[in-house]
Amino acid sequence: MPEKEGSSCAGLNEPRLVARKFLARPQPEGVGAVVRRSIGRFELRYFDPFLVLDEFSVTAPAGFPDHPHRGFETVTYMLQGAVKHEDFEGRTGTIGPGDLQWMTAGRGIVHSEMPAAQGTQKGLQLWINLSSKYKMIEPSYQEVSNKDITEATKDGIKVRVIAGEALGTKSAIYTRTPTMYLDFTLELGAHLRQPIPGPWNAFVYVLEGEGIFGRSKSSPHHLLLLGPGDGLEAWNKSSKLLRFILVGGEPLCEPSVQFGPFVMNTQEEIDQTVDDFKNYTNGFEKARHWRSESGVTLGF
C-alpha cells in the first residue's frame, strides 16, 4: 500500500503508546540557573540508560561553575544563546545556538558551563549512563556545530539527527551506549512514523506546540515515556509548528549507584570515587590546581 500524503517512514507493526507522562516544572540548579528536570527527579530517578534530562535556562552571572563527573556521558544541545565550556585539561570552547557537545566523562572530568552571550541561554542536557566496561575510560568529546548537524526533510517533517538515524539520514556521532536522539519539527497536518528498536527504552520531550503521540495529546515541557513497540507515531493537528525530541537507548541492565555527579555500579565504587576526587587521584589529579574563569566551585 502506498504511503499517504503527509506521512513519513514505513508502517509500524506495533506503534508505542505513552505509558507515563510528566510535566517538568522549573527548579533551581547550579548557581542561579533554572532547569525543568524530567528524568532524574523523585518520580523517575532512572530510565535505563538515561540518568537526567534537563531543559535549562540561565542568564549571567548565573551558571554551572566548576563541578566533577565520573561514569557517564553528558549531551548538551543548545536551543538559544550560548554557553562557554572549560575543563581541567585546558579545553575551552563555546557551544552556540543549535550546537552539540557530546562529552564522555569516563574516569573523571571537572568542568564549568557558563553563559557566553547576553540574555537568557536555553538548551537541553541529557545524561547517558555508561556500562561498567566504559566507566573508567579516558574523557573525550564529540562536538558538532549547528551547520554540521545532519538534517532531513520529508512530507512536512524536519529532523535534526543528533544521534542514530531518521528519514534515511544518519548521524556521525559514536554512541558507546547505543542511542538515538532526534529533534523533530512537524508542520500542520504532518504524520510521523519513526522506527525504534524493540528492546530500547524511549521517550519524547515536547519543546513547542501541541501534538498527538500514539493516543495521547501533549504540550511543551512534558516528558512522555513510551511503552513497548517498534516505533513512534506522532501527528501535528494543531495550528502551530510542533517540535519535540525523540530519544531512545539500549538498556544497560546493570546495577547503578548515583551520588550527585558520580554514577558507578556499586556503593564501594562510589566511595572510591569520592575519595579520588577529594584526594586528586585516579583521574582527578589536574583538579588540584585548576579553576575556571568563574572561579566558583559547586558542592555536591
Side-chain angles (χ1 to χ4, degrees):
M1 180 181 295
E3 291 290 306
K4 294 189 295 182
E5 184 178 356
S7 65
S8 183
C9 290
L12 303 173
N13 293 321
E14 187 185 358
R16 295 185 181 220
L17 301 180
V18 175
R20 297 175 71 187
K21 180 178 177 179
F22 302 95
L23 173 63
R25 293 182 171 86
Q27 66 182 62
E29 186 70 16
V31 175
V34 175
V35 303
R36 292 178 179 266
R37 178 161 296 168
S38 49
I39 299 175
R41 53 198 268 171
F42 69 93
E43 305 102 321
L44 186 63
R45 291 295 185 189
Y46 183 43
F47 187 50
D48 193 5
F50 306 111
L51 296 154
V52 168
L53 177 66
D54 282 347
E55 179 184 3
F56 63 84
S57 177
V58 57
T59 304
F64 306 96
D66 308 5
H67 59 281
H69 294 297
R70 175 183 277 181
F72 60 98
E73 298 183 300
T74 67
V75 182
T76 304
Y77 181 41
M78 292 302 299
L79 303 175
Q80 172 184 308
V83 296
K84 181 179 181 180
H85 178 268
E86 301 176 70
D87 76 16
F88 70 175
E89 294 281 355
R91 301 183 186 94
T92 62
T94 299
I95 312 171
D99 291 353
L100 171 74
Q101 181 195 75
W102 197 292
M103 184 184 82
T104 302
R107 67 197 301 255
I109 201 84
V110 179
H111 73 156
S112 69
E113 301 147 302
M114 300 297 289
Q118 297 296 317
T120 301
Q121 329 305 313
K122 296 182 179 182
L124 300 171
Q125 187 167 92
L126 176 69
W127 293 13
I128 306 173
N129 205 359
L130 288 170
S131 70
S132 56
K133 64 183 177 181
Y134 293 132
K135 283 189 177 293
M136 294 298 286
I137 63 175
E138 292 297 320
S140 62
Y141 293 87
Q142 300 176 82
E143 296 176 317
V144 186
S145 66
N146 180 35
K147 64 181 179 61
D148 293 327
I149 290 179
T150 302
E151 296 185 357
T153 58
K154 183 180 180 181
D155 299 329
I157 297 170
K158 174 185 174 182
V159 62
R160 308 190 82 217
V161 186
I162 307 302
E165 180 177 2
L167 302 187
T169 302
K170 293 183 179 181
S171 166
I173 289 289
Y174 172 66
T175 59
R176 289 172 178 81
T177 302
T179 303
M180 63 188 300
Y181 189 145
L182 308 172
D183 175 3
F184 282 107
T185 300
L186 273 60
E187 296 179 2
L188 175 61
H191 176 195
L192 170 72
R193 299 185 186 97
Q194 172 61 40
I196 303 169
W200 288 18
N201 285 330
F203 65 85
V204 165
Y205 187 77
V206 183
L207 296 171
E208 301 175 28
E210 294 185 346
I212 298 173
F213 303 89
R215 299 171 187 164
S216 300
K217 186 175 181 180
S218 196
S219 55
H221 314 303
H222 280 87
L223 177 84
L224 312 177
L225 299 187
L226 302 179
D230 61 358
L232 171 70
E233 276 199 286
W235 295 263
N236 182 2
K237 297 183 178 180
S238 71
S239 59
K240 298 180 180 179
L241 291 177
L242 168 64
R243 186 181 182 189
F244 61 92
I245 61 167
L246 170 62
V247 179
E250 182 176 21
L252 298 177
C253 300
E254 295 181 1
S256 181
V257 181
Q258 180 172 357
F259 180 64
F262 305 138
V263 184
M264 303 300 287
N265 294 102
T266 67
Q267 185 59 50
E268 291 75 17
E269 291 171 341
I270 288 291
D271 293 343
Q272 183 61 58
T273 297
V274 172
D275 286 344
D276 290 342
F277 179 62
K278 288 182 176 178
N279 296 317
Y280 308 108
T281 58
N282 199 22
F284 291 109
E285 289 83 356
K286 294 181 180 180
R288 182 186 297 273
H289 302 295
W290 180 79
R291 295 292 183 274
S292 72
E293 286 188 1
S294 72
V296 178
T297 300
L298 279 177
F300 65 91

